[in-house]
Amino acid sequence: MPEQPQTEEYRKTEKPFMDQLQLMGWAVEDGDTEVPYLSGGRESFRGVFLREDLRDALRRINRYDGEPWLDESRIDQAVYELERSTSPNLMEANKEATDLLQEGTVVEGDPDLHNGKNQTVHYIDYDHPERNTFRAIRQFRVDRSGTSGYIVPDIVLFVNGIPFVVVECKRPTATNPIESGVEDLLQYSNQRDWVDEPEGAQRLFFTNQLLVATNYDRAVVGTVGARSEHYIAWKDTSPVPSSEVAERLGTDQLSQQETLVAGMLRPRHLLQLLQHFTLFKEDQGQTVKMVARYQQFRTVHNTIRRLQNGQTRLEHGMQDQRGGIIWHTQGSGKSLTMVFLVRIMRAIPELRRFKVVVVTDRVDLQNQLSKTATLSGETVRIADSTDELKRILQEDGPDLVFATIQKYQEQEVKEEFPVLNESEDIVVLVDEAHRSQTSDLHANLMRA
């Protein structure tokens, strides 16, 4: 490969980015704009997958009784399913690919092993991040379709040979570096609506999960479909302490780039963001891709840690120690925080059994939250009356239940609300707690 030029952009932005990735377990390599990149199995500049990495990963992570079972034809089918999207709509293609990455695809089972039953083939091993291949390539050329010319993103991050992250770097002293970097990302992905002709290589972004623009001092992240103003900084390294990251990097204060890399691109964090913290929703007739903000990522991890490690009331002797308050400003996405929490709870064996009860004090809020909660993939049960609420809460099992606080009262005011369920495997999520949680209704809720 040709020696990379030692530009200011390379020395002060790209190289620190790649060095930090390498410290976190990524294999880092330089690409070549003259000869197709062959390591990992790329055959030409038109391809965007590292096919050897992908095929090896499919074979390695899909096992039956601990042994690989996929033959070449089934691997061919799984690769084809991921590569086949030809939708001219980038968001539609990205949603199809993201669904496959989250859920896997179905292939015909082995007659001897599976008794003719179809089997799900997974592209990512979320439970064991170390079994995946993480590779970052600098200067990754991709030829444009149907015309001459090509794009060369500064850094592309691959998980199991699948392009997950595209990074555009600028030198710290550049004029409007972040705006310029975001503009390049929009150009590369054909998202500049005011340009009539295709100018990028859209297929590189079908499986994309994050788009990053950085000049080291500042760094912002967006998703497919995001406009320039939607790109924001990731300001926390949680659940890894920032002091630990700074010590590892040998610095006293982390830059925005170092914080973003540590917070989002650590292999385990990146896989969690895709598995639990990425979703698509319809907004005014358009599909929108959403990834958690750093505050949501942090608070969900803190909540999970509390649920796993806090004492129950029986263990503590007086009060359950697993609860707490999550503070949200208006419009900061509390309903999505609930969705992300439920999604990650259902993936953890010791927490997936929990019944989740969501309480609001207004019907319009209940409707809004319950609609958003369907994005968790669960069936939402809404109690429309006190009697229905009692019946649902008395049932065992990991339901997702909605009811307004007003349902927690008897028709006869003098009657005491009954104890409905004494299980310790219940999480109550109260919306707008400051408005209704100091009254008799709250006492009834806690008693129930």
Side-chain angles (χ1 to χ4, degrees), residues 8-17 154-155 167-182 185 212-221 233 255-258 260-261:
E8 183 185 8
E9 178 182 297
Y10 172 75
R11 288 185 289 107
K12 295 188 175 182
T13 307
E14 288 181 21
K15 189 177 187 302
F17 200 109
D154 289 325
I155 302 171
V167 183
E168 197 59 22
C169 300
K170 300 297 177 184
R171 69 182 191 276
T173 57
T175 303
N176 298 323
I178 298 303
E179 293 81 354
S180 176
V182 172
L185 293 169
V212 177
T214 178
N215 75 333
Y216 184 77
D217 296 320
R218 291 183 60 208
V220 296
V221 61
S255 68
Q256 279 196 9
Q257 174 176 296
E258 290 168 329
L260 185 148
V261 172

Side-chain angles (χ1 to χ4, degrees), residues 10-47:
Y10 172 75
R11 288 185 289 107
K12 295 188 175 182
T13 307
E14 288 181 21
K15 189 177 187 302
F17 200 109
M18 296 286 272
D19 288 347
Q20 187 177 354
L21 288 176
Q22 190 169 27
L23 276 176
M24 297 190 306
W26 289 81
V28 300
E29 305 169 18
D30 284 335
D32 192 326
T33 59
E34 302 299 326
V35 179
Y37 181 80
L38 299 177
S39 178
R42 190 185 187 210
E43 299 169 356
S44 75
F45 286 129
R46 286 185 53 79

Side-chain angles (χ1 to χ4, degrees), residues 86-144:
T86 57
S87 173
N89 184 291
L90 175 58
M91 183 63 73
E92 182 180 320
N94 189 268
K95 184 179 185 306
E96 290 175 3
T98 301
D99 288 345
L100 286 171
L101 294 175
Q102 290 176 331
E103 306 295 336
T105 190
V106 175
V107 302
E108 183 180 339
D110 183 280
D112 297 326
L113 297 177
H114 310 119
N115 297 320
K117 295 181 180 179
N118 289 342
Q119 298 295 305
T120 299
V121 172
H122 296 283
Y123 298 95
I124 309 293
D125 190 334
Y126 292 104
D127 296 329
H128 306 91
E130 70 280 359
R131 294 181 183 173
N132 301 285
T133 299
F134 297 89
R135 192 189 299 271
I137 302 176
R138 200 180 81 84
Q139 300 298 302
F140 188 77
R141 170 179 164 176
V142 181
D143 286 355
R144 290 158 55 186

